[in-house]
Amino acid sequence: MRALLAVVGAIGILGLARGQDAAQPLVLLIATWAYLLWSAVLMVKTLGGWRRASSPVWPWVDAAVLLYLSQPLSSPLAPLFGAATVLPVVAVALLGGARHGVALAVVSAATMLVLTGWHRNVGELPPWSLGIPFLLLALGPAAALLVQPSRELRQRVQLLERFNERSDPRQGLPHHVDVLLGLLAARLSLSLAVLSMHGPEPRIFLWRPGVGAQPIEGADLQVWRDRLGALSAECDYLSQGEQVAAAVTAFDSVQASQRPVAEPARHAMMALGPHALALPLQSYGQPLGHLCLARTQLDFDRDDLPWLQGLMREVLPLLERSDLLEQLQRESAASERERIGRDLHDSAVQPYIGLKYGLEALARRAGPDNAVWPDIQRILKIANDELQILRDVVGGLRSGHDAAEPSAPLAALQRQTARFEALYGLKVHVFASQALHLRGAAAKAMLHMVNEALTNVRRHTSATTVTVLIDADLTHVVMRLRNDHGPGERLPQDFVPRSITERATQFRGSVSVSHEQDFTEVAVRLPLLGAIG
């Protein structure tokens, strides 16, 4: 479009250079050259990916310049510049919609009529001069309406490009659903979006502003299953009107004809809201799920349905690949855990059983009257506890589940510190929020970091007390481990706990060490979204 305007401007320069009036052509030449230079700069920036180059403001600037160059209408070049005003009308219709195109056409035609003063000297102007604005008034709206399909295609291509920029099948289905629904929400001003997928593991995702897309779980999952199950896999649905008197319409997605709406489907659409649509998703002719969108004010139009259908046809293959790859990763991980469980059963559990039998034999030889009897019993209890934990881990691995993920991280931490205290006599105090529930991987990492910190305190200090504080702020889970300084102990030199730092880095966290007069503190900060379950 801008190249065509440049051609028109070049023709204008050639024509104006041959003008008889020296003053007026000079002014027009300067304006035309300036406009050509501006158009060239804007075209280069557009090709360079400048987002503001697609603003609807620039076609209005183009139209204003062409209107100026077309004056007076008695000029030989006026028809060329006047007719060229249709190009900005088409451009603004592509960028902003048919309403913007019609508005620019009407404003341009009215401006031409006012500048000519047709109501005062209509008899002095050639008939074709008055025909230019009327021709623009006729062709402008028609051109704006004709380019509407091209605008919709352009918007769909742009959305797909932004989606593909942020997509990677290795990131899993939830990530791609969140990106897709977020882009649709920005494009359609959504207040709610629901996407269901019938893949290897059927899931339903709910998107809300400020929250993003999250898989629906618990009691809500059955509610949404019932709602989506009431919608036909062969019909598109529209809910239009007010909350009390909203009308639900169903369209056959194959024959493009209206169909009666069943009462369960009507209730399901009303649950979405008065301004909602539901679109069935299909892959190779098989039902794959539903896409449901809702907003608070403006009704969806029937023309929105084919636009969304075309978009989802392009997006669904990537969503299916992500879902399949995620399922394969889970199956591969489960198979690997089974193999590791079998190996651990043969290589780790059996030696622990032998240790247990040896301690029991030693206890029988010592007898209850022996001075070491209580110590042997305490060590035997620790060995039995560790053997049971190892059996649980191995049993979970052999069944394909990660039994090492503690369901109660605080209780596991307290058991761990109690064992450490019993073995080494180091007093450990644990203070943590009861409501804090860490993800399994983060909980295991926390237990390892606490164990590493306690071992470092025992090996490298003369501390007698360690305090573990765990809490969460608005952005992070914070774990602080403080050990007191023993009598006569100097302030330790700065150090970096390498093992703890490596584990924190896996969760994009950080570790800091500080020294006070009475204690040394190791603080571990884990991002909230990566650690909280």
Side-chain angles (χ1 to χ4, degrees), residues 139-432:
L139 293 180
L145 294 173
L146 287 174
V147 301
Q148 186 66 16
S150 299
R151 176 175 179 266
E152 294 177 351
L153 176 61
R154 179 174 177 271
Q155 289 177 336
R156 188 165 72 239
V157 169
Q158 288 178 337
L159 192 147
L160 286 171
E161 288 176 351
R162 289 196 292 271
F163 177 76
N164 289 328
E165 287 174 359
R166 301 169 57 183
S167 66
D168 183 351
R170 295 171 297 180
Q171 294 178 310
L173 181 63
H175 167 78
H176 292 91
V177 171
D178 183 57
V179 171
L180 174 63
L181 297 184
L183 292 173
L184 285 176
R187 164 72 175 80
L188 301 172
S189 302
L190 301 180
S191 60
L192 178 144
V194 177
L195 178 67
S196 64
M197 296 284 292
H198 297 168
E201 179 185 349
R203 284 179 282 183
I204 303 176
F205 297 89
L206 174 64
W207 181 94
R208 291 188 183 276
V211 179
Q214 300 289 338
I216 302 176
E217 299 175 343
D220 292 337
L221 180 59
Q222 189 57 47
V223 173
W224 280 102
R225 282 176 176 170
D226 294 340
R227 288 176 183 174
L228 299 179
L231 302 177
S232 171
E234 300 175 352
C235 291
D236 306 326
Y237 294 90
L238 282 177
S239 176
Q240 299 171 310
E242 298 300 326
Q243 183 69 45
V244 179
V248 178
T249 312
F251 303 95
D252 191 309
S253 55
V254 177
Q255 300 180 0
S257 59
Q258 191 167 332
R259 293 179 57 175
V261 182
E263 198 61 27
R266 185 183 304 277
H267 288 304
M269 289 301 298
M270 292 306 300
L272 290 172
H275 316 290
L277 65 79
L279 191 73
L281 306 178
Q282 292 190 348
S283 177
Y284 299 101
Q286 299 298 319
L288 188 63
H290 275 88
L291 174 67
C292 301
L293 308 177
R295 50 192 181 196
T296 54
Q297 296 180 351
L298 188 63
D299 280 337
F300 286 100
D301 191 82
R302 185 171 178 179
D303 293 336
D304 293 322
L305 296 174
W307 187 87
L308 285 168
Q309 287 171 344
L311 175 69
M312 295 307 295
R313 276 196 299 270
E314 299 286 342
V315 171
L316 277 177
L318 179 59
L319 296 182
E320 288 185 285
R321 287 197 298 271
S322 299
D323 196 14
L324 180 59
L325 183 58
E326 193 175 334
Q327 178 68 16
L328 291 175
Q329 289 174 340
R330 286 194 297 269
E331 292 178 355
S332 176
S335 177
E336 184 66 12
R337 282 196 292 266
E338 291 179 18
R339 184 190 66 79
I340 294 174
R342 289 191 297 269
D343 293 343
L344 284 177
H345 181 268
D346 297 334
S347 62
V349 175
Q350 297 302 327
Y352 263 96
I353 294 176
L355 174 62
K356 173 189 172 184
Y357 290 158
L359 290 172
E360 290 175 347
L362 181 61
R364 286 194 298 270
R365 287 186 61 186
D369 299 330
N370 196 301
V372 297
W373 171 268
D375 295 332
I376 296 176
Q377 291 298 321
R378 185 169 63 253
I379 296 174
L380 182 59
K381 182 180 184 305
I382 293 174
N384 280 325
D385 292 343
E386 294 297 332
L387 179 60
Q388 186 58 48
I389 292 174
L390 188 56
R391 278 173 169 166
D392 292 341
V393 172
V394 171
L397 290 173
R398 296 183 70 178
S399 63
H401 301 287
D402 191 354
E405 294 190 358
S407 58
L410 179 56
L413 178 60
Q414 290 170 336
R415 289 196 301 270
Q416 177 181 353
T417 55
R419 289 197 300 269
F420 197 93
E421 185 175 336
L423 285 173
Y424 302 108
L426 187 63
K427 189 66 177 177
V428 182
H429 302 284
V430 178
F431 301 94

Side-chain angles (χ1 to χ4, degrees), residues 480-497:
R480 305 181 187 276
L481 302 104
R482 297 177 180 176
N483 65 275
D484 65 332
H485 296 157
E489 183 178 347
R490 297 180 180 179
L491 285 178
Q493 296 180 351
D494 290 336
F495 64 93
V496 176

Side-chain angles (χ1 to χ4, degrees), residues 118 120-126 130:
W118 64 275
R120 294 192 304 271
N121 52 6
V122 64
E124 301 176 7
L125 293 174
L130 290 178

Side-chain angles (χ1 to χ4, degrees), residues 423-447:
L423 285 173
Y424 302 108
L426 187 63
K427 189 66 177 177
V428 182
H429 302 284
V430 178
F431 301 94
S433 172
Q434 293 287 345
L436 192 64
H437 186 80
L438 299 178
R439 280 199 305 120
K444 287 190 294 184
M446 181 193 69
L447 292 176

